[in-house]
Amino acid sequence: GLSVGTIIMTGQLNGRGEHKEVGKALVNAFWTTVAVGALVSCALYFGAYRLYAWYRLPEAMVVLGAPFLKIRAIGIFFTFVYFALIGFMRGIKNTHTPMKIFIAGCVLFLVSDYILIFGIFSFPGFGLMGSAIASVIQSVSMCLLAFRYVITNESLKAYKINIFSVFTSWSSITELCKLSWPVVIDKVALSWSYVWLGYCLAPMGTCVLASFSVVKDLERFALLPAIAFAQVITFLVSNDYGRHDWEGIKTNSKKIIFMSSLSVLSILCICSLWPHQIIRLFDFKGEFTLFAAKMFPVVSILAFFDVLQLILAGALRGAANVQVVMWTRLVVCAGFFAPLAYFFSRIETPHILVKCVLVYSCLYVGNALMGLIYIKRFRK
């Protein structure tokens, strides 16, 4: 959320050619994000056991999961700092550097994850905790690489970045908060929706919960192009908005919707044609493959609605319409999706697959409703 706020601020200033102000906006965004990141990390670290208990998980899973989350919470702090710096880079239309940093971080994670889980090259094997440690290594390394680029790169001299000057303008911080807190809330609403799905599906058994986890991951993978394009449209619109290029905003939005729809539909079609083979990659014992394979094609049809709302939400944010997105997501998630999903989860039926699909589908019907509201806003 704070990263998107940074993209909007720096993008609009960059569009107007006010490079020095862009540098000041980065400094304010950086230290604001550091403060918020510290609070979130502390909340996750000290509240890990309570969070897992609220999820109504078996004690054996709580004992494994809570220590894992406590280690991950350390890495999350560095992820916050990283996203502040990445927000600045995307705001000035630099997408190649974030890509390179992220690839480097992913490679480092894959290597350290394998080494620390299984214990090779004389390293001890930490099992599940090894993966959490690897994620911290990834977050710290990506943060340091981004920090080094912003501080030392010669091409950024025009922005006069003095990262250690702390806050340079309270009005700039206030503006960042005005842009960011609605984004934070709307992203919390969507993230909470998946938590609520897990809460509603948990009583149906471990097979359903495992299937939900895999189907969710496959669909998030399929939606990656749309998520990426949503970031792209935000910084494109913010720069066009700074130049008052209204025609450019409309044209770019149409192009991005077309490209993201084509990409997501292609991935969903491939996954739906061979669901058994793909899901078996996550289920070596074959305990939930059959159930998840039946569930995925039905739910993936509705996943397309997520594409439209993601892109339009990103475009509206770029035009500083952050409160429109926030209220839409908040009202739809809390007033429509949550009660409907809970209602279907309480239905007594021997057909668990039908019940599971109905609960999951509520999320995407809500996304369709969001898309309609965003279209109506664009027409105005």
Side-chain angles (χ1 to χ4, degrees):
L2 288 163
S3 181
V4 173
T6 306
I7 291 172
I8 297 167
M9 279 191 68
T10 55
Q12 290 184 4
L13 291 168
N14 194 61
R16 293 199 292 266
E18 299 176 13
H19 295 146
K20 193 174 179 181
E21 293 302 313
V22 173
K24 290 180 180 179
L26 166 62
V27 173
N28 294 323
F30 177 82
W31 289 108
T32 304
T33 307
V34 166
V36 176
L39 288 172
V40 172
S41 297
C42 287
L44 285 173
Y45 186 87
F46 293 107
Y49 282 95
R50 290 179 182 175
L51 180 61
Y52 271 81
W54 178 83
Y55 234 128
R56 301 185 294 178
L57 295 172
E59 182 63 27
M61 290 182 74
V62 176
V63 170
L64 281 171
F68 179 86
L69 181 59
K70 290 181 79 169
I71 297 174
R72 285 293 302 265
I74 299 167
I76 285 169
F77 169 74
F78 291 98
T79 303
F80 264 78
V81 180
Y82 163 76
F83 270 115
L85 300 171
I86 291 301
F88 158 71
M89 294 182 204
R90 288 175 175 157
I92 62 172
K93 294 186 176 183
N94 180 353
T95 55
H96 286 87
T97 303
M99 176 192 70
K100 292 174 184 175
I101 293 172
F102 191 74
I103 290 173
C106 284
V107 171
L108 185 61
F109 172 75
L110 290 172
V111 174
S112 57
D113 197 41
Y114 189 81
I115 291 172
L116 294 174
I117 288 174
F118 298 108
I120 58 174
F121 302 130
S122 301
F123 283 90
F126 293 102
L128 182 65
M129 296 306 115
S131 185
I133 297 167
S135 73
V136 174
I137 294 171
Q138 178 192 22
S139 301
V140 172
S141 63
M142 288 167 64
C143 181
L144 290 175
L145 286 170
F147 193 81
R148 182 178 179 274
Y149 176 83
V150 169
I151 296 297
T152 63
N153 194 274
E154 292 293 321
S155 65
L156 302 180
K157 277 191 172 181
Y159 296 101
K160 308 286 184 183
I161 300 167
N162 184 8
I163 207 77
F164 298 108
S165 61
V166 195
F167 298 120
T168 60
S169 167
W170 285 107
S171 62
S172 179
I173 296 165
T174 304
E175 182 65 22
L176 174 66
C177 290
K178 284 180 180 178
L179 290 170
S180 296
W181 73 261
V183 181
V184 172
I185 291 172
D186 82 58
K187 289 193 175 289
V188 165
L190 275 189
S191 299
W192 171 82
S193 296
Y194 283 99
V195 174
W196 185 252
L197 274 177
Y199 181 82
C200 292
L201 294 172
M204 298 182 204
T206 53
C207 177
V208 171
L209 206 55
S211 298
F212 160 66
S213 180
V214 171
V215 169
K216 179 187 70 174
D217 287 344
L218 283 176
E219 293 199 341
R220 298 318 289 174
F221 171 72
L223 287 166
L224 278 175
I227 294 168
F229 277 125
Q231 290 279 327
V232 171
I233 195 63
T234 297
F235 69 70
L236 286 178
V237 169
S238 64
N239 277 266
D240 289 338
Y241 191 85
R243 291 191 292 268
H244 295 175
D245 183 5
W246 316 125
E247 194 59 39
I249 290 174
K250 288 192 290 183
T251 303
N252 286 330
S253 297
K254 290 174 183 177
K255 288 178 181 176
I256 294 291
I257 288 171
F258 174 75
M259 289 189 290
S260 59
S261 299
L262 196 62
S263 304
V264 171
L265 284 173
S266 300
I267 298 171
L268 285 174
C269 285
I270 292 169
C271 293
S272 297
L273 286 171
W274 297 282
H276 289 84
Q277 292 85 339
I278 294 171
I279 292 169
R280 277 305 294 266
L281 297 172
F282 304 91
D283 181 21
F284 297 124
K285 296 180 181 179
E287 294 175 344
F288 57 85
T289 297
L290 187 61
F291 187 92
K294 289 179 180 178
M295 178 183 169
F296 180 80
V298 181
V299 177
S300 64
I301 295 169
L302 298 172
F304 174 71
F305 291 125
D306 211 3
V307 178
L308 187 63
Q309 74 88 14
L310 279 169
I311 302 303
L312 292 178
L316 285 169
R317 287 195 198 105
N321 279 225
V322 287
Q323 293 211 20
V324 173
V325 180
M326 179 197 72
W327 284 113
T328 300
R329 285 187 171 174
L330 202 57
V331 170
V332 171
C333 288
F336 176 81
F337 157 72
L340 192 62
Y342 184 75
F343 169 75
F344 283 127
S345 72
R346 303 299 291 178
I347 294 175
E348 294 295 334
T349 174
H351 304 290
I352 298 296
L353 178 62
V354 175
K355 185 177 176 179
C356 184
V357 169
L358 283 172
V359 173
Y360 203 132
S361 299
C362 293
L363 178 66
Y364 292 118
V365 175
N367 288 335
L369 187 57
M370 290 180 204
L372 290 173
I373 295 169
Y374 296 152
I375 290 169
K376 187 177 180 182
R377 174 61 182 165
F378 255 99
R379 284 178 174 174
K380 291 183 178 181

